[in-house]
Amino acid sequence: MLWVGYDSTYAPTDVWTYWHGHILHAAWPKSQLAIDVQWGKHGSMPRNVRQSDLPKLQSLNFFYAMTIIGEWDILLGDLTRKGPLCFCHSYRRYLQFTRPLIVSERIDAIVRTEDPGPVLRQVFGRKYSNKHQWP
């Protein structure tokens, strides 16, 4: 999930993404948005975010380690929200965001509302993870 700020010409100027309970923000250079989405049910980051800019204990290094030592957490999470049971690849592959997906061809609707909860539950179902209120 993400929010996009734009100017009067509808060119993007800012992007906010949801990353493991935190909102990440990046100024955007009035060009096509690019977002890196982590595998499974985790989060997304503006393209080219530096590891050091991520919240403490929420770096890609930490989460990769958790895919190995935290397998029980993945299995428990799968009870409420289905997703992959493992990331069965190397750390190098974990850091790659190389499969572009042009979502503009897939967007069915754009909703502008003060309270996105009801719309998100309609789209994602009753097990939707109610995230913090966005910017």
Side-chain angles (χ1 to χ4, degrees), residues 89-117:
H89 302 283
S90 69
Y91 181 65
R92 173 181 260 180
R93 174 63 187 98
Y94 193 77
L95 297 177
Q96 291 177 347
F97 295 95
T98 56
R99 293 179 55 195
L101 177 65
I102 308 301
V103 295
S104 60
E105 301 162 358
R106 297 169 183 245
I107 294 176
D108 295 327
I110 297 173
V111 177
R112 185 179 287 185
T113 178
E114 290 292 321
D115 180 14

mmCIF file of all heavy atoms in Angstrom, residues 89-117:
data_model
loop_
_atom_site.group_PDB
_atom_site.id
_atom_site.type_symbol
_atom_site.label_atom_id
_atom_site.label_comp_id
_atom_site.label_asym_id
_atom_site.label_seq_id
_atom_site.Cartn_x
_atom_site.Cartn_y
_atom_site.Cartn_z
ATOM 1 N N HIS A 89 15.530 -18.776 -0.755
ATOM 2 C CA HIS A 89 16.579 -18.299 -1.659
ATOM 3 C C HIS A 89 17.696 -17.673 -0.828
ATOM 4 O O HIS A 89 17.590 -17.520 0.374
ATOM 5 C CB HIS A 89 16.023 -17.280 -2.648
ATOM 6 C CG HIS A 89 14.886 -17.805 -3.474
ATOM 7 N ND1 HIS A 89 15.049 -18.646 -4.538
ATOM 8 C CD2 HIS A 89 13.548 -17.613 -3.360
ATOM 9 C CE1 HIS A 89 13.880 -18.949 -5.065
ATOM 10 N NE2 HIS A 89 12.950 -18.335 -4.361
ATOM 11 N N SER A 90 18.727 -17.217 -1.503
ATOM 12 C CA SER A 90 19.886 -16.629 -0.838
ATOM 13 C C SER A 90 19.605 -15.199 -0.380
ATOM 14 O O SER A 90 18.632 -14.568 -0.798
ATOM 15 C CB SER A 90 21.077 -16.595 -1.807
ATOM 16 O OG SER A 90 20.811 -15.657 -2.843
ATOM 17 N N TYR A 91 20.516 -14.679 0.462
ATOM 18 C CA TYR A 91 20.419 -13.289 0.908
ATOM 19 C C TYR A 91 20.544 -12.335 -0.285
ATOM 20 O O TYR A 91 19.838 -11.338 -0.361
ATOM 21 C CB TYR A 91 21.490 -12.992 1.954
ATOM 22 C CG TYR A 91 21.426 -11.583 2.467
ATOM 23 C CD1 TYR A 91 20.330 -11.144 3.195
ATOM 24 C CD2 TYR A 91 22.453 -10.688 2.225
ATOM 25 C CE1 TYR A 91 20.255 -9.847 3.659
ATOM 26 C CE2 TYR A 91 22.396 -9.392 2.692
ATOM 27 C CZ TYR A 91 21.295 -8.974 3.410
ATOM 28 O OH TYR A 91 21.216 -7.680 3.863
ATOM 29 N N ARG A 92 21.419 -12.662 -1.214
ATOM 30 C CA ARG A 92 21.581 -11.819 -2.407
ATOM 31 C C ARG A 92 20.253 -11.695 -3.143
ATOM 32 O O ARG A 92 19.858 -10.609 -3.549
ATOM 33 C CB ARG A 92 22.644 -12.405 -3.333
ATOM 34 C CG ARG A 92 22.729 -11.670 -4.660
ATOM 35 C CD ARG A 92 23.747 -12.279 -5.550
ATOM 36 N NE ARG A 92 24.924 -11.438 -5.416
ATOM 37 C CZ ARG A 92 26.049 -11.632 -6.048
ATOM 38 N NH1 ARG A 92 26.193 -12.681 -6.815
ATOM 39 N NH2 ARG A 92 27.045 -10.809 -5.903
ATOM 40 N N ARG A 93 19.538 -12.793 -3.289
ATOM 41 C CA ARG A 93 18.232 -12.767 -3.958
ATOM 42 C C ARG A 93 17.221 -11.993 -3.122
ATOM 43 O O ARG A 93 16.354 -11.312 -3.643
ATOM 44 C CB ARG A 93 17.745 -14.206 -4.215
ATOM 45 C CG ARG A 93 16.347 -14.306 -4.766
ATOM 46 C CD ARG A 93 16.239 -13.639 -6.157
ATOM 47 N NE ARG A 93 14.872 -13.608 -6.595
ATOM 48 C CZ ARG A 93 14.053 -12.559 -6.477
ATOM 49 N NH1 ARG A 93 14.478 -11.447 -5.928
ATOM 50 N NH2 ARG A 93 12.821 -12.614 -6.897
ATOM 51 N N TYR A 94 17.332 -12.077 -1.812
ATOM 52 C CA TYR A 94 16.413 -11.371 -0.914
ATOM 53 C C TYR A 94 16.487 -9.860 -1.123
ATOM 54 O O TYR A 94 15.495 -9.156 -0.967
ATOM 55 C CB TYR A 94 16.772 -11.724 0.527
ATOM 56 C CG TYR A 94 15.747 -11.317 1.550
ATOM 57 C CD1 TYR A 94 14.575 -12.044 1.728
ATOM 58 C CD2 TYR A 94 15.955 -10.213 2.368
ATOM 59 C CE1 TYR A 94 13.646 -11.696 2.677
ATOM 60 C CE2 TYR A 94 15.034 -9.860 3.325
ATOM 61 C CZ TYR A 94 13.869 -10.596 3.473
ATOM 62 O OH TYR A 94 12.956 -10.245 4.419
ATOM 63 N N LEU A 95 17.670 -9.376 -1.471
ATOM 64 C CA LEU A 95 17.872 -7.938 -1.664
ATOM 65 C C LEU A 95 17.492 -7.461 -3.063
ATOM 66 O O LEU A 95 17.554 -6.265 -3.334
ATOM 67 C CB LEU A 95 19.322 -7.564 -1.379
ATOM 68 C CG LEU A 95 19.797 -7.802 0.051
ATOM 69 C CD1 LEU A 95 21.262 -7.450 0.173
ATOM 70 C CD2 LEU A 95 18.957 -7.020 1.037
ATOM 71 N N GLN A 96 17.141 -8.360 -3.946
ATOM 72 C CA GLN A 96 16.824 -7.978 -5.327
ATOM 73 C C GLN A 96 15.346 -7.630 -5.478
ATOM 74 O O GLN A 96 14.474 -8.347 -5.002
ATOM 75 C CB GLN A 96 17.150 -9.114 -6.291
ATOM 76 C CG GLN A 96 18.618 -9.377 -6.433
ATOM 77 C CD GLN A 96 18.885 -10.565 -7.350
ATOM 78 O OE1 GLN A 96 17.985 -11.325 -7.693
ATOM 79 N NE2 GLN A 96 20.130 -10.719 -7.726
ATOM 80 N N PHE A 97 15.107 -6.531 -6.130
ATOM 81 C CA PHE A 97 13.754 -6.125 -6.513
ATOM 82 C C PHE A 97 13.797 -5.917 -8.017
ATOM 83 O O PHE A 97 13.853 -4.797 -8.511
ATOM 84 C CB PHE A 97 13.359 -4.840 -5.780
ATOM 85 C CG PHE A 97 13.270 -5.019 -4.292
ATOM 86 C CD1 PHE A 97 14.343 -4.722 -3.471
ATOM 87 C CD2 PHE A 97 12.107 -5.500 -3.722
ATOM 88 C CE1 PHE A 97 14.252 -4.890 -2.105
ATOM 89 C CE2 PHE A 97 11.999 -5.671 -2.353
ATOM 90 C CZ PHE A 97 13.083 -5.364 -1.543
ATOM 91 N N THR A 98 13.810 -7.034 -8.754
ATOM 92 C CA THR A 98 14.118 -6.972 -10.178
ATOM 93 C C THR A 98 12.980 -7.408 -11.084
ATOM 94 O O THR A 98 13.168 -7.495 -12.290
ATOM 95 C CB THR A 98 15.349 -7.844 -10.488
ATOM 96 O OG1 THR A 98 15.080 -9.174 -10.030
ATOM 97 C CG2 THR A 98 16.595 -7.304 -9.808
ATOM 98 N N ARG A 99 11.808 -7.698 -10.530
ATOM 99 C CA ARG A 99 10.695 -8.122 -11.370
ATOM 100 C C ARG A 99 9.677 -6.996 -11.451
ATOM 101 O O ARG A 99 8.765 -6.913 -10.639
ATOM 102 C CB ARG A 99 10.056 -9.384 -10.808
ATOM 103 C CG ARG A 99 10.989 -10.580 -10.894
ATOM 104 C CD ARG A 99 10.394 -11.824 -10.330
ATOM 105 N NE ARG A 99 9.113 -12.112 -10.969
ATOM 106 C CZ ARG A 99 8.238 -12.972 -10.485
ATOM 107 N NH1 ARG A 99 8.485 -13.612 -9.366
ATOM 108 N NH2 ARG A 99 7.115 -13.193 -11.114
ATOM 109 N N PRO A 100 9.842 -6.102 -12.426
ATOM 110 C CA PRO A 100 8.918 -4.968 -12.509
ATOM 111 C C PRO A 100 7.503 -5.417 -12.870
ATOM 112 O O PRO A 100 7.308 -6.344 -13.645
ATOM 113 C CB PRO A 100 9.508 -4.087 -13.604
ATOM 114 C CG PRO A 100 10.400 -4.975 -14.387
ATOM 115 C CD PRO A 100 10.834 -6.084 -13.482
ATOM 116 N N LEU A 101 6.556 -4.748 -12.278
ATOM 117 C CA LEU A 101 5.152 -4.994 -12.566
ATOM 118 C C LEU A 101 4.493 -3.634 -12.753
ATOM 119 O O LEU A 101 4.470 -2.823 -11.827
ATOM 120 C CB LEU A 101 4.499 -5.749 -11.401
ATOM 121 C CG LEU A 101 3.010 -6.022 -11.519
ATOM 122 C CD1 LEU A 101 2.728 -6.961 -12.684
ATOM 123 C CD2 LEU A 101 2.503 -6.620 -10.218
ATOM 124 N N ILE A 102 4.024 -3.378 -13.942
ATOM 125 C CA ILE A 102 3.364 -2.102 -14.233
ATOM 126 C C ILE A 102 1.933 -2.207 -13.718
ATOM 127 O O ILE A 102 1.106 -2.926 -14.283
ATOM 128 C CB ILE A 102 3.385 -1.798 -15.750
ATOM 129 C CG1 ILE A 102 4.803 -1.914 -16.314
ATOM 130 C CG2 ILE A 102 2.763 -0.440 -16.017
ATOM 131 C CD1 ILE A 102 5.817 -1.003 -15.669
ATOM 132 N N VAL A 103 1.646 -1.496 -12.630
ATOM 133 C CA VAL A 103 0.330 -1.650 -12.013
ATOM 134 C C VAL A 103 -0.731 -0.746 -12.630
ATOM 135 O O VAL A 103 -1.915 -0.956 -12.421
ATOM 136 C CB VAL A 103 0.383 -1.437 -10.483
ATOM 137 C CG1 VAL A 103 1.219 -2.504 -9.828
ATOM 138 C CG2 VAL A 103 0.864 -0.062 -10.144
ATOM 139 N N SER A 104 -0.323 0.251 -13.400
ATOM 140 C CA SER A 104 -1.315 1.146 -13.992
ATOM 141 C C SER A 104 -2.297 0.390 -14.880
ATOM 142 O O SER A 104 -3.453 0.789 -15.017
ATOM 143 C CB SER A 104 -0.634 2.264 -14.785
ATOM 144 O OG SER A 104 0.149 1.718 -15.829
ATOM 145 N N GLU A 105 -1.856 -0.728 -15.443
ATOM 146 C CA GLU A 105 -2.741 -1.540 -16.280
ATOM 147 C C GLU A 105 -3.688 -2.395 -15.439
ATOM 148 O O GLU A 105 -4.614 -2.998 -15.953
ATOM 149 C CB GLU A 105 -1.900 -2.447 -17.177
ATOM 150 C CG GLU A 105 -0.958 -1.680 -18.073
ATOM 151 C CD GLU A 105 0.162 -2.541 -18.629
ATOM 152 O OE1 GLU A 105 0.240 -3.738 -18.291
ATOM 153 O OE2 GLU A 105 0.966 -2.003 -19.406
ATOM 154 N N ARG A 106 -3.445 -2.468 -14.126
ATOM 155 C CA ARG A 106 -4.223 -3.334 -13.250
ATOM 156 C C ARG A 106 -5.121 -2.580 -12.272
ATOM 157 O O ARG A 106 -5.869 -3.198 -11.528
ATOM 158 C CB ARG A 106 -3.283 -4.231 -12.450
ATOM 159 C CG ARG A 106 -2.481 -5.150 -13.347
ATOM 160 C CD ARG A 106 -1.388 -5.830 -12.550
ATOM 161 N NE ARG A 106 -0.587 -6.657 -13.422
ATOM 162 C CZ ARG A 106 -0.521 -7.964 -13.324
ATOM 163 N NH1 ARG A 106 -1.206 -8.595 -12.409
ATOM 164 N NH2 ARG A 106 0.230 -8.643 -14.136
ATOM 165 N N ILE A 107 -5.013 -1.276 -12.212
ATOM 166 C CA ILE A 107 -5.812 -0.504 -11.264
ATOM 167 C C ILE A 107 -7.250 -0.441 -11.749
ATOM 168 O O ILE A 107 -7.533 -0.014 -12.863
ATOM 169 C CB ILE A 107 -5.233 0.918 -11.083
ATOM 170 C CG1 ILE A 107 -3.862 0.824 -10.426
ATOM 171 C CG2 ILE A 107 -6.188 1.778 -10.266
ATOM 172 C CD1 ILE A 107 -3.154 2.146 -10.288
ATOM 173 N N ASP A 108 -8.155 -0.900 -10.892
ATOM 174 C CA ASP A 108 -9.576 -0.900 -11.226
ATOM 175 C C ASP A 108 -10.283 0.355 -10.744
ATOM 176 O O ASP A 108 -11.276 0.776 -11.322
ATOM 177 C CB ASP A 108 -10.277 -2.111 -10.596
ATOM 178 C CG ASP A 108 -9.775 -3.416 -11.181
ATOM 179 O OD1 ASP A 108 -9.423 -3.437 -12.369
ATOM 180 O OD2 ASP A 108 -9.739 -4.403 -10.445
ATOM 181 N N ALA A 109 -9.818 0.931 -9.654
ATOM 182 C CA ALA A 109 -10.478 2.100 -9.082
ATOM 183 C C ALA A 109 -9.493 2.878 -8.224
ATOM 184 O O ALA A 109 -8.530 2.327 -7.704
ATOM 185 C CB ALA A 109 -11.657 1.666 -8.223
ATOM 186 N N ILE A 110 -9.763 4.150 -8.095
ATOM 187 C CA ILE A 110 -9.014 5.015 -7.195
ATOM 188 C C ILE A 110 -10.037 5.612 -6.244
ATOM 189 O O ILE A 110 -11.055 6.150 -6.685
ATOM 190 C CB ILE A 110 -8.262 6.127 -7.960
ATOM 191 C CG1 ILE A 110 -7.220 5.488 -8.880
ATOM 192 C CG2 ILE A 110 -7.632 7.110 -6.993
ATOM 193 C CD1 ILE A 110 -6.538 6.459 -9.804
ATOM 194 N N VAL A 111 -9.779 5.502 -4.962
ATOM 195 C CA VAL A 111 -10.724 5.979 -3.960
ATOM 196 C C VAL A 111 -10.069 7.096 -3.164
ATOM 197 O O VAL A 111 -8.948 6.936 -2.680
ATOM 198 C CB VAL A 111 -11.151 4.829 -3.016
ATOM 199 C CG1 VAL A 111 -12.076 5.340 -1.942
ATOM 200 C CG2 VAL A 111 -11.783 3.706 -3.811
ATOM 201 N N ARG A 112 -10.762 8.189 -3.012
ATOM 202 C CA ARG A 112 -10.289 9.297 -2.190
ATOM 203 C C ARG A 112 -11.269 9.438 -1.029
ATOM 204 O O ARG A 112 -12.439 9.744 -1.241
ATOM 205 C CB ARG A 112 -10.243 10.584 -3.007
ATOM 206 C CG ARG A 112 -9.651 11.747 -2.251
ATOM 207 C CD ARG A 112 -9.605 12.972 -3.098
ATOM 208 N NE ARG A 112 -8.552 12.811 -4.088
ATOM 209 C CZ ARG A 112 -8.199 13.759 -4.935
ATOM 210 N NH1 ARG A 112 -8.821 14.902 -4.938
ATOM 211 N NH2 ARG A 112 -7.243 13.544 -5.797
ATOM 212 N N THR A 113 -10.797 9.185 0.187
ATOM 213 C CA THR A 113 -11.676 9.179 1.344
ATOM 214 C C THR A 113 -10.907 9.512 2.601
ATOM 215 O O THR A 113 -9.697 9.295 2.666
ATOM 216 C CB THR A 113 -12.366 7.804 1.497
ATOM 217 O OG1 THR A 113 -13.182 7.815 2.663
ATOM 218 C CG2 THR A 113 -11.358 6.686 1.612
ATOM 219 N N GLU A 114 -11.586 10.036 3.604
ATOM 220 C CA GLU A 114 -10.967 10.300 4.909
ATOM 221 C C GLU A 114 -10.750 9.004 5.688
ATOM 222 O O GLU A 114 -9.811 8.882 6.451
ATOM 223 C CB GLU A 114 -11.845 11.252 5.728
ATOM 224 C CG GLU A 114 -11.868 12.669 5.198
ATOM 225 C CD GLU A 114 -10.528 13.363 5.358
ATOM 226 O OE1 GLU A 114 -9.863 13.173 6.401
ATOM 227 O OE2 GLU A 114 -10.138 14.085 4.426
ATOM 228 N N ASP A 115 -11.647 8.027 5.513
ATOM 229 C CA ASP A 115 -11.570 6.761 6.236
ATOM 230 C C ASP A 115 -11.493 5.616 5.225
ATOM 231 O O ASP A 115 -12.518 5.163 4.722
ATOM 232 C CB ASP A 115 -12.785 6.584 7.147
ATOM 233 C CG ASP A 115 -12.739 5.273 7.915
ATOM 234 O OD1 ASP A 115 -11.668 4.632 7.954
ATOM 235 O OD2 ASP A 115 -13.780 4.898 8.480
ATOM 236 N N PRO A 116 -10.284 5.121 4.917
ATOM 237 C CA PRO A 116 -10.143 4.073 3.908
ATOM 238 C C PRO A 116 -10.552 2.683 4.379
ATOM 239 O O PRO A 116 -10.676 1.767 3.589
ATOM 240 C CB PRO A 116 -8.658 4.106 3.575
ATOM 241 C CG PRO A 116 -8.020 4.585 4.841
ATOM 242 C CD PRO A 116 -8.997 5.562 5.440
ATOM 243 N N GLY A 117 -10.776 2.510 5.696
ATOM 244 C CA GLY A 117 -11.052 1.192 6.257
ATOM 245 C C GLY A 117 -12.148 0.409 5.547
ATOM 246 O O GLY A 117 -11.928 -0.729 5.125
#
